[in-house]
Amino acid sequence: MSDVPASRPSSAARLSLSHITAQHETNLLGTVHGGVIMTLVDSVAGVVAARHSGGPAVTASMDEMVFLVPVRVGDVVHFTAQVNWTGRSSMEIGVRITADRWDSVGPQVHVATAYLVFVAVDADGQPRQVPQVEPENDEDRRRMREAEIRRSHRLARRKAIIDSREGAA
Ligand SMILES: CC(=O)SCCNC(=O)CCNC(=O)[C@H](O)C(C)(C)COP(=O)(O)OP(=O)(O)OC[C@H]1O[C@@H](n2cnc3c(N)ncnc32)[C@H](O)[C@@H]1OP(=O)(O)O
């Protein structure tokens, strides 16, 4: 594992990946399977988490992911990911997914946005501390504020479910 600094700028681990979709990635309707997109989202976010934290990181959760438009075979799908927020050992990674239609030149289509929480782990699979992400501009600061809102909702939802189960027991 590399030496891990106390903080890293958000641009340090940002990553873009482009993928040309193929026939074998389709669902029964003939459009690209949502699971193919989700696998690539998880992979891209995992690389960002590993680069930011300087070592292995595992997917802890993925927020609701809304598919806005179908992706067609041959479309070029772009995944852009960065660390939005850091806790002690967890990181929220935001992934924006856009597509260029294979048969026309036009503005990129917004396919989906996903937010994933990764936890950096040590050799025993135990959470380890991550560098704090340093937002570099207003957009990064907006992403960090919104990530904090999502985290507080995740924690509140988890606590409400635990309380409800304990109340029912
Ligand atoms: C890249 C891949 O494909 S990995 C394969 C799929 N993923 C996995 O197999 C992961 C399996 N899960 C695990 O190993 C564990 O649950 C871990 C490492 C994620 C968390 O371990 P825990 O013992 O629960 O850790 P702990 O309770 O100390 O929490 C550690 C951090 O994880 C965060 N966390 C734990 N569970 C969740 C969750 N469901 N959603 C969001 N964050 C979570 C905590 O908030 C905490 O964050 P912080 O350190 O920034 O405050």
Short mmCIF file of all heavy atoms in Angstrom, two decimals, residues 33-43 62-63 65 67 79 116:
data_model
loop_
_atom_site.label_atom_id
_atom_site.label_comp_id
_atom_site.label_asym_id
_atom_site.label_seq_id
_atom_site.Cartn_x
_atom_site.Cartn_y
_atom_site.Cartn_z
N HIS A 33 -28.45 -3.82 -21.09
CA HIS A 33 -28.88 -4.29 -19.76
C HIS A 33 -28.41 -3.31 -18.68
O HIS A 33 -27.25 -2.91 -18.67
CB HIS A 33 -28.25 -5.67 -19.52
CG HIS A 33 -28.98 -6.49 -18.53
ND1 HIS A 33 -29.04 -6.15 -17.21
CD2 HIS A 33 -29.69 -7.63 -18.67
CE1 HIS A 33 -29.76 -7.06 -16.57
NE2 HIS A 33 -30.17 -7.97 -17.44
N GLY A 34 -29.35 -2.97 -17.77
CA GLY A 34 -29.00 -2.06 -16.68
C GLY A 34 -27.86 -2.60 -15.84
O GLY A 34 -27.02 -1.83 -15.34
N GLY A 35 -27.79 -3.92 -15.68
CA GLY A 35 -26.74 -4.52 -14.87
C GLY A 35 -25.35 -4.32 -15.47
O GLY A 35 -24.36 -4.24 -14.73
N VAL A 36 -25.29 -4.22 -16.79
CA VAL A 36 -23.99 -3.96 -17.46
C VAL A 36 -23.51 -2.56 -17.06
O VAL A 36 -22.33 -2.36 -16.70
CB VAL A 36 -24.15 -4.06 -19.00
CG1 VAL A 36 -22.90 -3.54 -19.71
CG2 VAL A 36 -24.45 -5.50 -19.40
N ILE A 37 -24.45 -1.60 -17.08
CA ILE A 37 -24.09 -0.22 -16.71
C ILE A 37 -23.69 -0.18 -15.23
O ILE A 37 -22.70 0.44 -14.85
CB ILE A 37 -25.29 0.73 -16.96
CG1 ILE A 37 -25.79 0.62 -18.41
CG2 ILE A 37 -24.94 2.17 -16.58
CD1 ILE A 37 -24.90 1.21 -19.46
N MET A 38 -24.45 -0.90 -14.39
CA MET A 38 -24.16 -0.87 -12.95
C MET A 38 -22.80 -1.51 -12.63
O MET A 38 -22.09 -1.04 -11.74
CB MET A 38 -25.29 -1.57 -12.19
CG MET A 38 -26.57 -0.76 -12.21
SD MET A 38 -27.99 -1.67 -11.62
CE MET A 38 -27.89 -1.36 -9.88
N THR A 39 -22.46 -2.56 -13.37
CA THR A 39 -21.15 -3.19 -13.15
C THR A 39 -20.03 -2.21 -13.47
O THR A 39 -19.05 -2.09 -12.71
CB THR A 39 -21.02 -4.45 -14.03
OG1 THR A 39 -22.04 -5.37 -13.66
CG2 THR A 39 -19.67 -5.12 -13.87
N LEU A 40 -20.20 -1.50 -14.59
CA LEU A 40 -19.16 -0.53 -14.96
C LEU A 40 -19.10 0.63 -13.95
O LEU A 40 -18.03 1.12 -13.61
CB LEU A 40 -19.39 -0.02 -16.39
CG LEU A 40 -19.06 -1.06 -17.46
CD1 LEU A 40 -19.66 -0.68 -18.80
CD2 LEU A 40 -17.54 -1.21 -17.61
N VAL A 41 -20.28 1.04 -13.46
CA VAL A 41 -20.33 2.10 -12.43
C VAL A 41 -19.53 1.66 -11.20
O VAL A 41 -18.70 2.40 -10.66
CB VAL A 41 -21.80 2.41 -12.05
CG1 VAL A 41 -21.89 3.17 -10.73
CG2 VAL A 41 -22.48 3.20 -13.16
N ASP A 42 -19.78 0.42 -10.75
CA ASP A 42 -19.11 -0.10 -9.56
C ASP A 42 -17.59 -0.19 -9.80
O ASP A 42 -16.79 0.15 -8.92
CB ASP A 42 -19.70 -1.47 -9.21
CG ASP A 42 -19.25 -1.97 -7.85
OD1 ASP A 42 -19.07 -1.16 -6.94
OD2 ASP A 42 -19.07 -3.20 -7.71
N SER A 43 -17.22 -0.62 -11.00
CA SER A 43 -15.79 -0.76 -11.31
C SER A 43 -15.08 0.60 -11.33
O SER A 43 -14.00 0.76 -10.77
CB SER A 43 -15.60 -1.44 -12.67
OG SER A 43 -16.17 -2.71 -12.65
N MET A 62 -24.89 1.27 -2.52
CA MET A 62 -25.14 2.06 -3.72
C MET A 62 -26.53 2.66 -3.55
O MET A 62 -27.47 1.92 -3.25
CB MET A 62 -25.11 1.14 -4.95
CG MET A 62 -25.21 1.86 -6.26
SD MET A 62 -25.15 0.61 -7.57
CE MET A 62 -24.67 1.59 -8.95
N ASP A 63 -26.63 3.97 -3.71
CA ASP A 63 -27.95 4.61 -3.59
C ASP A 63 -28.81 4.25 -4.78
O ASP A 63 -28.32 3.75 -5.78
CB ASP A 63 -27.77 6.14 -3.54
CG ASP A 63 -27.43 6.62 -2.15
OD1 ASP A 63 -27.14 5.77 -1.29
OD2 ASP A 63 -27.45 7.84 -1.93
N MET A 65 -30.46 4.17 -8.14
CA MET A 65 -29.89 4.63 -9.42
C MET A 65 -31.03 4.67 -10.43
O MET A 65 -31.67 3.64 -10.69
CB MET A 65 -28.80 3.65 -9.86
CG MET A 65 -28.11 4.07 -11.11
SD MET A 65 -26.71 2.97 -11.40
CE MET A 65 -26.44 3.33 -13.13
N PHE A 67 -32.43 5.16 -14.13
CA PHE A 67 -32.05 5.17 -15.55
C PHE A 67 -33.01 6.11 -16.28
O PHE A 67 -34.22 5.87 -16.31
CB PHE A 67 -32.12 3.76 -16.14
CG PHE A 67 -31.04 2.85 -15.62
CD1 PHE A 67 -31.26 2.03 -14.53
CD2 PHE A 67 -29.79 2.82 -16.22
CE1 PHE A 67 -30.25 1.20 -14.04
CE2 PHE A 67 -28.78 2.00 -15.74
CZ PHE A 67 -29.01 1.19 -14.65
N PHE A 79 -18.41 7.28 -18.38
CA PHE A 79 -18.55 7.24 -16.92
C PHE A 79 -17.53 8.23 -16.34
O PHE A 79 -16.33 8.09 -16.61
CB PHE A 79 -18.24 5.84 -16.37
CG PHE A 79 -19.13 4.77 -16.94
CD1 PHE A 79 -18.87 4.23 -18.19
CD2 PHE A 79 -20.23 4.31 -16.23
CE1 PHE A 79 -19.69 3.24 -18.72
CE2 PHE A 79 -21.06 3.33 -16.75
CZ PHE A 79 -20.79 2.80 -18.00
N LEU A 116 -22.21 5.96 -4.69
CA LEU A 116 -21.82 4.73 -4.01
C LEU A 116 -20.96 5.08 -2.80
O LEU A 116 -20.21 6.07 -2.84
CB LEU A 116 -20.98 3.83 -4.93
CG LEU A 116 -21.64 3.39 -6.24
CD1 LEU A 116 -21.33 4.39 -7.35
CD2 LEU A 116 -21.14 2.02 -6.66
#
